């Protein structure tokens, strides 16, 4: 008998004769996981901010009627390629059901470059939470930091409708 132990994110195998229960362990699946590469990167419109202490704010626009999955972890990582941005907090966030905008504290000074964001977002249709989707992406955002302006660098990524 195979049992989905959803509260523990496991699959249990039960021998009905002996009553012995074990956990199904899958091995080697990593070989089949598709790795994201620069060839998969989505180039987003350029972003601009002014010098000073502020935040890099990442917002995902989900299709109408969809919401982040509150029971599954979504992950977001930021790498700065260039000058003008120094992250002052963690460059990675793993959160269940993220609330947008997701903020990364930063110190901005005049400069330019490209942000590389690697994201994995789990989201579901509202009212049909039993069917969820996983969006994995590499996002590249050209940026420019000027002497004056808003101290927040805003990045928006819209997901296509289902």
């Amino acid at each position: 008998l195979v049992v989905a132990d959803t509260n523990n994110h496991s699959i249990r195998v039960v021998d009905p004769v002996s009553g012995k229960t074990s956990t199904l362990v899958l091995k080697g699946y990593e070989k089949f996981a598709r790795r994201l590469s620069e060839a998969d990167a989505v180039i987003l419109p350029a972003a601009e901010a002014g010098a000073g202490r502020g935040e890099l704010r990442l917002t995902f626009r989900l299709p109408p009627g969809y919401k982040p999955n509150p029971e599954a972890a979504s992950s977001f990582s930021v790498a700065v390629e260039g000058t003008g941005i120094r992250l002052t907090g963690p460059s990675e966030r793993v959160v269940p059901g993220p609330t947008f905008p997701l903020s990364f504290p930063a110190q901005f000074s005049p400069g330019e470059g490209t942000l590389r964001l690697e994201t994995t977002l789990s989201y579901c249709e509202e009212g049909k939470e039993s069917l969820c989707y996983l969006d994995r992406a590499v996002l590249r955002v050209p940026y420019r930091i000027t002497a004056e302006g808003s101290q927040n660098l805003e990045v928006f990524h819209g997901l296509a409708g289902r």
Side-chain angles (χ1 to χ4, degrees), residues 103-120:
S103 299
F104 294 84
Q107 180 68 41
F108 300 116
S109 58
E112 59 185 45
T114 302
L115 292 173
R116 183 183 189 281
L117 299 105
E118 195 160 327
T119 65
T120 301

Side-chain angles (χ1 to χ4, degrees), residues 51-137:
R53 181 172 294 282
E55 296 177 334
L56 163 62
R57 293 183 179 170
L58 175 61
T59 299
F60 274 71
R61 291 189 181 122
L62 298 175
Y66 287 81
K67 66 178 185 178
N69 183 345
E71 296 181 14
S74 292
S75 64
F76 307 87
S77 68
V78 179
V80 178
E81 300 169 354
T83 61
I85 299 177
R86 182 177 57 83
L87 296 174
T88 57
S91 63
E92 277 188 48
R93 304 270 306 271
V94 178
V95 290
T99 301
F100 297 109
L102 196 63
S103 299
F104 294 84
Q107 180 68 41
F108 300 116
S109 58
E112 59 185 45
T114 302
L115 292 173
R116 183 183 189 281
L117 299 105
E118 195 160 327
T119 65
T120 301
L121 176 65
S122 176
Y123 65 102
C124 311
E125 188 171 358
E126 291 180 20
K128 295 181 183 177
E129 285 80 8
S130 60
L131 177 60
C132 294
Y133 301 96
L134 191 64
D135 181 83
R136 294 178 62 221

Side-chain angles (χ1 to χ4, degrees), residues 3-74:
V3 179
D5 185 354
T6 56
N7 287 340
N8 294 305
H9 308 290
S10 299
I11 298 174
R12 308 291 185 197
V13 179
V14 180
D15 182 333
V17 176
S18 69
K20 182 178 177 182
T21 302
S22 61
T23 300
L24 178 66
V25 177
L26 301 174
K27 296 180 182 176
Y29 67 89
E30 322 68 47
K31 291 185 261 181
F32 300 102
R34 186 172 172 272
R35 303 250 191 280
L36 293 175
S37 71
E38 288 306 309
D40 300 310
V42 175
I43 310 300
L44 297 181
E48 191 170 296
R53 181 172 294 282
E55 296 177 334
L56 163 62
R57 293 183 179 170
L58 175 61
T59 299
F60 274 71
R61 291 189 181 122
L62 298 175
Y66 287 81
K67 66 178 185 178
N69 183 345
E71 296 181 14
S74 292

